[in-house]
Amino acid sequence: MTATLNRAIASFPNVFDPGALSALPDHLQETIRRRNEVLGPGYMLMYREPVEFVSGRGAHLYDHEGNDFLDVYNNVPCVGHAHPRVVEAVSRQLAAVNTNTRYVQEALVDYAERLLATFPAELSKLSLACSGSEANDLAMRVAKFHTGGEGIIVTRWAYHGITSEVSRFSPSLGKGSPLGPYVRLIDPPDPRLAAPGSTLAEHMRAQVRGAIDDLERHGYRLAALITDCAYSSDGIFTDPVDYMQGVVEEVRAAGGVYIADEVQSGFARLGDSMWGFTRHGVVPDIVTMGKPMGNGVPVSGVVFRPEVSEEFGRNVRYFNTFAGSSIPVAAAAAVLDVLEEENVQQRVLENGALLRAGIEELTRESPYVAEVRGRGLYVGVEIVKDRETLAPDRGRAEDVISDMRDRRVLISASGPVANVLKIRPPLAFDSADVTRFLETFAEVAKERL
Ligand SMILES: Cc1ncc(COP(=O)(O)O)c(C=O)c1O
């Protein structure tokens, strides 16, 4: 990376500026310099002062000196950093054997049965992949094959992944990563964007209808609407949930399918459900999932209605070497074990409610906080210049993030202007962690908000 931020990276929130390298402690400077020499393009570090961790437990990360950082940002280690149950399952499998899906693997069948039991009966087929991007890539391939269409509708600042196909419907990647000509953008479900006198449900439905019309006018039949059920990169919009049924009706009437991207919202993140889509009272045609699925071991999945995936399966060969092999399946099964044994969903519901209530309390009077949004352990705090114009204040959001990091509490930001604090701890976050977070946030808010 050059001495100053390049344009694509500058648009990303909470990024370390390489121009500030010489201000860092010696060891950190040296490692970052070596890193810049050898890593390929696009890598970036978080925080004004980056940090290196050597171990973790629950929602805590520890640096070389043994300093305890509260992790309020990572959704991958969902049941907690280095959860002993996952460590044991993966170690045992690693020491035994790792085979792929071209051999009979009873553990894979057991896992598929268990995972599918958490879905409505209509969603009954599972394919495995290695990342959220791969899952969305496969989902869209199947959607196009099934519908014969090409058109895709996504929210205005969505992120769905990095493959060359998925990047074409991930507008948050910015100008350097062009969208496909068959992609149309709609607003995220922000009730403030509905015209006066119009409901959010009407606004969302009209936008989808308009996008379909525009696609057809340009010769594209609709293949799919894909939404992140937490609208994470759009700025976190979990509620209300009463607009999706009408939207999905429009999509199906045009011959398209609805893909629910659960990479962020899945595995009980939102507390009141295992999957984000169930909160909306719809049954998608395809559901994708990833990040928390293996607690850090790369594994992702796509769940289909069989009538959507059958033809594809008959006509297209899909073999993904590592996907569904014994080690990631052992990790994924251990995650399900912990979710059940520790009653994680209930914990998320309770601690999430405490966390959000505490943040609301601390920011109620602030002229710089427009909204506190979210559900479960996914909270967004929208930072603005003032409550009248709602002009986003990225600088203030970054100051808050940086002050929290200096006090060893890790959060970051999201949204088109990166002015929404993104507070998203591992689901291992317990009530003592909530207290520590709120105490630290109170100190920072006193100065900055
Ligand atoms: C909603 C959503 N979908 C897909 C992806 C891509 O997942 P991965 O980074 O595992 O490819 C992400 C990653 O942040 C995501 O947030």
Side-chain angles (χ1 to χ4, degrees):
M1 208 189 293
T2 56
T4 48
L5 287 172
N6 73 38
R7 226 159 37 112
I9 291 178
S11 72
F12 201 79
N14 184 28
V15 176
F16 168 64
D17 182 350
L21 188 62
S22 56
L24 297 181
D26 289 350
H27 175 72
L28 207 53
Q29 251 190 67
E30 177 57 14
T31 312
I32 296 173
R33 248 190 214 108
R34 285 173 52 212
R35 176 186 150 108
N36 293 344
E37 289 299 315
V38 292
L39 295 191
Y43 286 94
M44 54 180 118
L45 290 163
M46 288 199 291
Y47 302 107
R48 288 178 187 161
E49 182 178 346
V51 58
E52 180 177 19
F53 296 114
V54 293
S55 65
R57 203 61 159 192
H60 298 249
L61 286 164
Y62 303 92
D63 67 9
H64 284 286
E65 280 87 46
N67 292 313
D68 175 345
F69 286 70
L70 184 61
D71 182 359
V72 198
Y73 188 64
N74 279 300
N75 58 348
V76 171
C78 75
V79 294
H81 290 281
H83 194 292
R85 187 78 190 220
V86 182
V87 172
E88 193 274 326
V90 171
S91 310
R92 190 164 19 91
Q93 194 60 53
L94 191 63
V97 72
N98 188 48
T99 62
N100 64 53
T101 55
R102 289 198 170 145
Y103 299 89
V104 179
Q105 304 152 294
E106 192 178 1
L108 170 62
V109 182
D110 290 343
Y111 178 73
E113 287 172 353
R114 279 179 78 189
L115 185 74
L116 289 169
T118 68
F119 284 85
E122 295 91 325
L123 288 159
S124 60
K125 295 286 181 188
L126 170 69
S127 291
L128 290 157
C130 302
S131 68
S133 303
E134 271 189 9
N136 283 330
D137 192 288
L138 175 63
M140 201 52 81
R141 249 179 105 183
V142 171
K144 288 184 172 180
F145 194 93
H146 172 70
T147 60
E150 256 192 294
I152 300 173
I153 302 175
V154 289
T155 50
R156 212 166 289 291
W157 202 247
Y159 179 64
H160 294 291
I162 48 160
T163 68
S164 65
E165 167 65 9
V166 178
S167 63
R168 304 200 86 197
F169 59 89
S170 288
S172 69
L173 289 172
K175 285 196 182 129
S177 179
L179 295 174
Y182 45 81
V183 173
R184 294 295 178 276
L185 308 184
I186 58 169
D187 293 335
D190 180 348
R192 297 168 300 182
L193 298 176
S198 167
T199 64
L200 176 67
E202 287 161 351
H203 176 59
M204 295 305 287
R205 190 169 187 144
Q207 286 193 88
V208 169
R209 185 67 255 160
I212 293 167
D213 288 347
D214 193 53
L215 282 168
E216 289 176 352
R217 205 169 307 127
H218 289 84
Y220 297 113
R221 281 208 353 242
L222 181 65
L225 162 77
I226 177 165
T227 66
D228 162 0
C229 296
Y231 300 91
S232 327
S233 53
D234 281 296
I236 307 169
F237 295 96
T238 53
D239 294 273
V241 289
D242 59 356
Y243 60 89
M244 207 58 186
Q245 288 181 359
V247 160
V248 172
E249 269 170 37
E250 288 292 345
V251 167
R252 291 192 177 135
V257 297
Y258 169 47
I259 304 171
D261 180 336
E262 295 277 359
V263 169
Q264 294 280 341
S265 49
F267 294 95
R269 164 67 52 187
L270 303 181
D272 47 9
S273 57
M274 174 79 166
W275 305 109
F277 71 81
T278 52
R279 305 178 65 243
H280 296 260
V282 295
V283 179
D285 300 291
I286 305 176
V287 180
T288 59
M289 66 207 71
K291 289 187 192 273
M293 190 171 180
N295 211 51
V297 174
V299 50
S300 67
V302 190
V303 172
F304 300 98
R305 289 180 186 249
E307 62 274 23
V308 170
S309 59
E310 250 159 33
E311 270 305 295
F312 181 88
R314 266 198 288 273
N315 288 280
V316 181
R317 203 179 73 193
Y318 182 84
F319 174 67
N320 186 331
T321 302
F322 298 116
S325 60
S326 324
I327 292 168
V329 168
V335 168
L336 288 188
D337 290 341
V338 179
L339 288 177
E340 283 167 23
E341 285 162 15
E342 295 184 9
N343 200 3
V344 169
Q345 193 176 319
Q346 186 60 27
R347 188 170 69 207
V348 172
L349 201 59
E350 288 164 12
N351 292 329
L354 280 177
L355 179 67
R356 219 174 44 255
I359 295 171
E360 276 165 5
E361 179 70 35
L362 289 168
T363 57
R364 187 162 294 130
E365 304 297 322
S366 169
Y368 306 115
V369 173
E371 276 191 338
V372 177
R373 300 191 284 268
R375 187 65 37 175
L377 286 173
Y378 214 135
V379 183
V381 182
E382 185 179 326
I383 309 294
V384 291
K385 295 211 158 86
D386 60 81
R387 279 182 171 180
E388 281 68 50
T389 63
L390 297 186
D393 195 341
R394 176 183 174 134
R396 189 175 297 277
E398 292 200 330
D399 287 340
V400 172
I401 293 164
S402 198
D403 288 0
M404 294 291 286
R405 181 253 171 268
D406 291 346
R407 290 167 171 80
R408 303 200 183 114
V409 175
L410 304 174
I411 60 169
S412 195
S414 90
V417 189
N419 66 315
V420 180
L421 303 178
K422 185 168 166 189
I423 298 168
R424 183 197 55 179
L427 305 185
F429 208 63
D430 63 22
S431 56
D433 298 330
V434 174
T435 305
R436 175 168 163 195
F437 176 88
L438 292 175
E439 283 171 4
T440 310
F441 190 69
E443 284 175 27
V444 172
K446 207 164 155 198
E447 211 172 301
R448 300 282 188 188
L449 302 175

